[in-house]
Amino acid sequence: MIEPRRLRVALLGAGAVGSQVARLLLAHADELADRAGAPLDLVGIAVRDVDAPREADLPRELYTTDADTLIAGADIVIEVTGGLEPARTRILHALASGADVVTANKALLATHGSEIFDAADQVGATVAYEAAVAGAIPIIRPLRDSLAGDRVRRIMGIVNGTTNYILDRMDREGLGFDEVLAEAQRLGYAEADPTADVEAYDAAQKAAILASLAFHTSVPLDAVHREGITSVDAGVIEAARKAGYVVKLLAVCERLVDQPDAAPTGEAISVRVYPALVPREHPLASVHGANNAVFVEAEAAGDLMFYGAGAGGVQTASAVLGDVVSAARRHVAGGPGVGESTRANLPIVPIGRIRTSCQVTLEVDDKPGVLATVAGILSDGNVSIATVEQTTSGDAVARESGDAVAHLVIGTHTAREQDLADTVERLAATSAVRRVVSVLRVEGD
Amino acid sequence: MIEPRRLRVALLGAGAVGSQVARLLLAHADELADRAGAPLDLVGIAVRDVDAPREADLPRELYTTDADTLIAGADIVIEVTGGLEPARTRILHALASGADVVTANKALLATHGSEIFDAADQVGATVAYEAAVAGAIPIIRPLRDSLAGDRVRRIMGIVNGTTNYILDRMDREGLGFDEVLAEAQRLGYAEADPTADVEAYDAAQKAAILASLAFHTSVPLDAVHREGITSVDAGVIEAARKAGYVVKLLAVCERLVDQPDAAPTGEAISVRVYPALVPREHPLASVHGANNAVFVEAEAAGDLMFYGAGAGGVQTASAVLGDVVSAARRHVAGGPGVGESTRANLPIVPIGRIRTSCQVTLEVDDKPGVLATVAGILSDGNVSIATVEQTTSGDAVARESGDAVAHLVIGTHTAREQDLADTVERLAATSAVRRVVSVLRVEGD
């Protein structure tokens, strides 16, 4: 029997994910060899400082600061360092030297994806990135392979564990945003600087990656409309609950049809990230804690959902290893890798031109004529009202004195986002409207 | 540029799934060619009667009764006829002639899987079967590829849409089994002869396939412990609800450790299908209607869930086409297919020797000493009680006359199944116990 070729695996990075990848590669060497069709030799781990203290107990001699030499001699390069540079340069180097690449680097793919996938195409190599979106949850491979004979209509993803943890705690315990954020930071669910999570930069990167893959279109990060969750307060959550919704930060990737400007097919896409109202009976509504889930509506397959842990070193390492095994099989079998397709290259519609339905919550003077004024502004703005609920907090005395406040919760039919934005601006400028409390889109209805 | 080789695709069967596969192959030919790396030519559809009336409007000349000639000239053979023969012979024929095979035939794989996978291995071909388990939901590929670097501990699957529809309706509407079954038959969710579904033969086949794949072990169908849902009546569902559970027909595939008889690793597996109590907050509890879901607990990835439509012609066709695209890519790239691994070949532990926790509901005489008797029998049988709830329906007069009935709902700690079975038998033979209403395992706690 011919001894199968051994594959040389180089690991870039030894942080929370990298150390787990290394541990699993060594601990499960026999099983991995069996599944990959060849033994996988971890030949080195590139780090900045060989002597830094590390969690995992790995052989000292694996560490090296010479990433270039390590990459040059590898069949498979695993990049789990994060950040744009030197990750980008190193991945391009690995591809140029004939290695397949496995990466968990969402920021890099969302920013330089086209360049990297083009480079891989040139040499017929694979860039696998299951770990870049939704941690351990298999979503990249199902979208690329399982649904290869289908057409994706829409993706709604809870792809950021930190914000889901925060919104879920607020919903379940009735707590305020700041309180829960502080708790999440204490527990390690949120960073000391939570901007990337709570302002939805992280979710936007994942949305760009998912949309690119699902719609065969290169989606640059700045084409993703992004709104964070910092304006979602306890009152908004409470009002959502009463109306039968839960607030989730959603990455929405949508195929639009009958777009007048999108010749020749009339198809275009919208990619957006914002806090949205999800009906309580929707499968995404029961995604609790720091979990992630990606809900996919496909033409033939119907509705699918993929659920699991969105982060964590060992969970993410599981996704990395699945990719390593696939890359190894390809290396053994030969033949080109599966390239990224930008065949469709659908136009990306700016947020102002898509249609959504919303729930607008206003704090208004509790006096006669206010509802008529508000309804008139909506009607003038081409925003049609589906439901209205008014609650009054003031008593008769307050009402007499003109100090009474009422809350108006207005559900709209689908309207053009630009019309909605203009209308909300006009509402905010109306004297009877004290405050626009929130404007939340409804998704998954 | 070199014209890529065209691939010849033969379709066996033109029923609900087959007609949708053919329709999608023709309608999306360009997209499929792009994704597969070669144009896919549907060269023929083997049917029993060329002139039979059919739903789909496909070119007449595609139909043929000569399956053998069709298969002999094909690169990829899609088998969606169902049943054991002639499906088995035709698939073996296809593999022997060098074709890759895509099948949705769960009964065949659960019964003759080893023979078919061995035949594929011999020639380095692929047998892909995403559509055989849980319809459109990508579960085979995630288990085989995405989790290739991980280890599955446990799978809990709702893999039969008919029974989930029935149990869900009973739970949500408080209806009885017979009533809901009749309704399901009217709506086409259940067959005129519902045996395969309600007696869990269908779920058992899927359990065998999932366990074989997840544990790298050939699991024969008769090693799957099987109990149907016909004894689950409205009272059982109601009692489950009160206790915070929902009743689901679960396929459970479990890796057991520290098994004394399982040298050298101490590892073994259990594969079983039965109605079980699932806590209401478990993700599987919110799988409604005829949907399917597969919950996977993996060592590194943690908990994952895959959710979607479990059946339906076009949904299943989506899964078939994903497999066709992968098979086509392999055909274009060359190299061997991914074989089935039975490397681990773990022993399969009979149901009597595994440990579960249960809820036992008894109808007993409402008189002094009965609880003590019951508790004594449980204790003698090595079944330790975790919770007891007694409800009395009789009034004082009935109690005086000895006619009063009480219900005892006993939750056990984990116990050996054989001990539990023996104990339930002793309870049933006790004069104070009028009836053993139900014995349901608790899963997902």
Side-chain angles (χ1 to χ4, degrees):
Chain A
M1 195 181 149
I2 306 163
E3 184 67 20
R5 183 179 158 208
R6 306 185 74 87
L7 294 179
R8 299 167 59 84
V9 178
L11 177 61
L12 313 182
V17 178
S19 58
Q20 291 295 334
V21 168
R23 185 181 67 76
L24 292 170
L25 274 172
L26 297 175
H28 297 173
D30 288 351
E31 280 181 76
L32 289 167
D34 191 74
R35 296 175 196 208
L40 303 175
D41 293 332
L42 177 59
V43 292
I45 307 174
V47 292
R48 256 177 303 195
D49 175 5
V50 168
D51 297 314
R54 300 183 201 285
E55 245 175 77
D57 186 26
L58 300 168
R60 259 303 285 279
E61 63 272 21
L62 283 175
Y63 294 107
T64 172
T65 54
D66 184 1
D68 288 342
T69 306
L70 184 63
I71 289 167
D75 297 304
I76 295 169
V77 173
I78 305 169
E79 186 274 314
V80 286
T81 48
L84 300 187
E85 285 293 356
R88 173 183 152 277
T89 306
R90 287 178 177 170
I91 285 178
L92 292 173
H93 174 196
L95 292 169
S97 1
D100 284 317
V101 170
V102 176
T103 177
N105 195 328
K106 56 192 173 286
L108 179 64
L109 292 176
T111 314
H112 298 296
S114 298
E115 181 187 18
I116 286 167
F117 293 126
D118 283 351
D121 258 4
Q122 298 269 322
V123 295
T126 295
V127 176
Y129 54 96
E130 186 64 79
V133 181
I137 307 171
I139 179 63
I140 300 301
R141 199 185 310 258
L143 280 178
R144 197 194 56 198
D145 296 344
S146 306
L147 295 175
D150 204 333
R151 275 161 66 87
V152 173
R153 280 191 180 136
R154 207 170 134 88
I155 294 174
M156 292 191 289
I158 296 172
V159 292
N160 180 274
T162 303
T163 48
N164 200 60
Y165 175 85
I166 292 172
L167 293 171
D168 188 45
R169 289 281 294 167
M170 289 174 72
D171 181 57
R172 301 221 276 187
E173 315 286 337
L175 302 173
F177 177 81
D178 294 331
E179 192 177 349
V180 177
L181 174 59
E183 180 200 69
Q185 287 170 318
R186 241 188 352 264
L187 295 171
Y189 287 130
E191 310 273 339
D193 175 0
T195 311
D197 294 319
V198 301
E199 294 295 356
Y201 289 99
D202 174 83
Q205 290 168 351
K206 291 160 177 171
I209 294 172
L210 287 174
S212 297
L213 182 65
F215 301 127
H216 299 259
T217 293
S218 177
V219 176
L221 198 46
D222 59 15
V224 180
H225 174 79
R226 180 188 54 74
E227 297 171 30
I229 65 162
T230 50
S231 65
V232 179
D233 62 19
V236 169
I237 301 254
E238 182 55 25
R241 181 209 311 282
K242 279 191 190 144
Y245 295 106
V246 57
V247 179
K248 295 286 186 191
L249 179 66
L250 290 188
V252 181
C253 314
E254 193 173 18
R255 187 190 294 272
L256 305 170
V257 293
D258 299 331
Q259 297 291 305
D261 307 348
T265 60
E267 285 198 348
I269 62 172
S270 160
V271 191
R272 52 197 198 264
V273 178
Y274 45 52
L277 297 172
V278 176
R280 294 242 161 216
E281 63 272 24
H282 194 282
L284 285 172
S286 55
V287 176
H288 299 297
N291 284 305
N292 281 198
V294 181
F295 192 84
V296 179
E297 299 173 20
E299 207 171 283
D303 294 346
L304 301 171
M305 191 172 82
F306 303 84
Y307 162 97
V314 67
Q315 291 86 345
T316 307
S318 164
V320 168
L321 282 181
D323 278 349
V324 168
V325 168
S326 293
R329 282 186 195 146
R330 189 198 79 78
H331 236 88
V332 172
V338 178
E340 283 298 294
S341 157
T342 53
R343 178 185 47 73
N345 251 336
L346 300 173
I348 304 164
V349 174
I351 186 80
R353 279 170 43 209
I354 69 162
R355 296 178 68 81
T356 59
S357 62
C358 283
Q359 190 170 296
V360 181
T361 305
L362 305 174
E363 203 175 286
V364 298
D365 291 343
D366 187 8
K367 58 185 186 192
V370 172
L371 181 56
T373 307
V374 166
I377 292 172
L378 285 157
S379 163
D380 289 349
N382 290 315
V383 177
S384 158
I385 297 175
T387 58
V388 181
E389 204 190 305
Q390 173 161 357
T391 49
T392 306
S393 47
D395 54 16
V397 176
R399 212 148 41 237
E400 283 297 313
S401 69
D403 284 346
V405 170
H407 276 83
L408 276 180
V409 180
I410 301 162
T412 77
H413 288 295
T414 55
R416 206 163 154 273
E417 276 270 343
Q418 189 59 56
D419 290 340
L420 189 84
D422 294 346
T423 302
V424 169
E425 208 168 296
R426 281 198 60 202
L427 286 171
T430 304
S431 65
V433 174
R434 300 193 177 189
R435 192 162 70 95
V436 177
V437 180
S438 68
V439 181
L440 288 172
R441 284 81 167 187
V442 177
E443 298 282 356
D445 233 354
Chain B
M1 196 180 145
I2 306 163
E3 185 66 22
R5 183 179 158 208
R6 305 184 74 86
L7 295 179
R8 298 169 59 84
V9 178
L11 177 61
L12 312 182
V17 177
S19 58
Q20 291 296 334
V21 169
R23 185 180 67 75
L24 292 171
L25 274 172
L26 298 175
H28 297 173
D30 288 351
E31 280 181 74
L32 289 167
D34 191 74
R35 296 175 197 208
L40 303 176
D41 292 334
L42 177 61
V43 291
I45 307 174
V47 292
R48 257 179 304 196
D49 176 3
V50 168
D51 298 314
R54 302 183 201 285
E55 246 176 74
D57 186 25
L58 300 168
R60 258 305 283 278
E61 63 273 21
L62 283 175
Y63 294 107
T64 173
T65 55
D66 185 359
D68 287 341
T69 305
L70 184 63
I71 290 166
D75 297 303
I76 295 169
V77 173
I78 304 170
E79 185 275 314
V80 285
T81 50
L84 299 187
E85 285 294 355
R88 173 183 151 277
T89 306
R90 288 178 176 168
I91 285 177
L92 292 174
H93 174 197
L95 292 169
S97 3
D100 284 316
V101 170
V102 176
T103 177
N105 195 327
K106 56 190 173 286
L108 179 64
L109 292 176
T111 314
H112 297 298
S114 297
E115 182 187 15
I116 287 167
F117 293 125
D118 283 351
D121 259 3
Q122 297 269 322
V123 295
T126 296
V127 176
Y129 54 96
E130 186 63 79
V133 180
I137 308 172
I139 178 63
I140 300 301
R141 199 185 309 261
L143 279 178
R144 198 194 55 200
D145 296 344
S146 306
L147 295 175
D150 204 332
R151 276 161 66 86
V152 173
R153 282 192 179 136
R154 209 171 133 88
I155 294 174
M156 292 191 289
I158 295 172
V159 292
N160 180 274
T162 304
T163 48
N164 200 60
Y165 175 85
I166 292 172
L167 293 172
D168 188 45
R169 287 282 293 166
M170 290 174 72
D171 181 58
R172 300 221 276 186
E173 316 284 338
L175 302 172
F177 177 82
D178 294 332
E179 194 177 349
V180 178
L181 174 59
E183 180 201 70
Q185 287 170 319
R186 242 188 352 266
L187 295 172
Y189 287 129
E191 309 273 340
D193 175 359
T195 311
D197 294 319
V198 300
E199 294 295 356
Y201 288 99
D202 173 84
Q205 290 168 353
K206 291 160 177 170
I209 293 172
L210 288 175
S212 297
L213 181 65
F215 301 128
H216 300 259
T217 293
S218 177
V219 177
L221 198 44
D222 58 14
V224 180
H225 175 78
R226 180 188 55 73
E227 297 171 31
I229 64 161
T230 50
S231 66
V232 179
D233 62 18
V236 170
I237 301 254
E238 182 55 25
R241 180 208 310 282
K242 280 189 190 145
Y245 295 107
V246 57
V247 179
K248 295 286 185 190
L249 179 65
L250 291 189
V252 181
C253 314
E254 192 173 18
R255 187 190 294 270
L256 307 170
V257 293
D258 299 328
Q259 298 291 304
D261 306 350
T265 59
E267 286 198 348
I269 62 173
S270 159
V271 190
R272 52 197 199 263
V273 179
Y274 46 51
L277 297 172
V278 176
R280 294 239 162 220
E281 63 272 24
H282 193 281
L284 285 172
S286 54
V287 176
H288 299 297
N291 285 306
N292 281 197
V294 181
F295 192 85
V296 179
E297 300 173 19
E299 209 171 280
D303 294 347
L304 301 170
M305 191 171 84
F306 303 84
Y307 163 97
V314 67
Q315 291 86 345
T316 307
S318 164
V320 168
L321 282 180
D323 279 348
V324 168
V325 169
S326 293
R329 281 185 196 147
R330 190 198 77 78
H331 237 86
V332 172
V338 179
E340 284 297 294
S341 157
T342 54
R343 178 184 46 73
N345 251 335
L346 299 173
I348 305 163
V349 174
I351 186 82
R353 279 170 42 208
I354 68 161
R355 298 177 69 82
T356 59
S357 62
C358 283
Q359 190 169 297
V360 181
T361 306
L362 305 174
E363 202 175 286
V364 298
D365 291 342
D366 186 8
K367 60 185 184 194
V370 172
L371 181 56
T373 306
V374 166
I377 292 171
L378 285 158
S379 162
D380 289 349
N382 291 315
V383 177
S384 160
I385 298 175
T387 59
V388 181
E389 204 189 305
Q390 174 160 355
T391 51
T392 305
S393 47
D395 54 16
V397 176
R399 210 147 42 235
E400 283 297 314
S401 69
D403 285 347
V405 170
H407 277 82
L408 275 181
V409 180
I410 301 161
T412 77
H413 288 294
T414 57
R416 207 163 152 270
E417 276 270 343
Q418 190 59 56
D419 290 340
L420 189 83
D422 294 345
T423 301
V424 168
E425 209 169 292
R426 281 198 58 199
L427 286 171
T430 304
S431 64
V433 174
R434 300 193 176 191
R435 193 164 69 94
V436 176
V437 179
S438 67
V439 180
L440 289 172
R441 284 81 167 186
V442 177
E443 299 281 357
D445 234 352

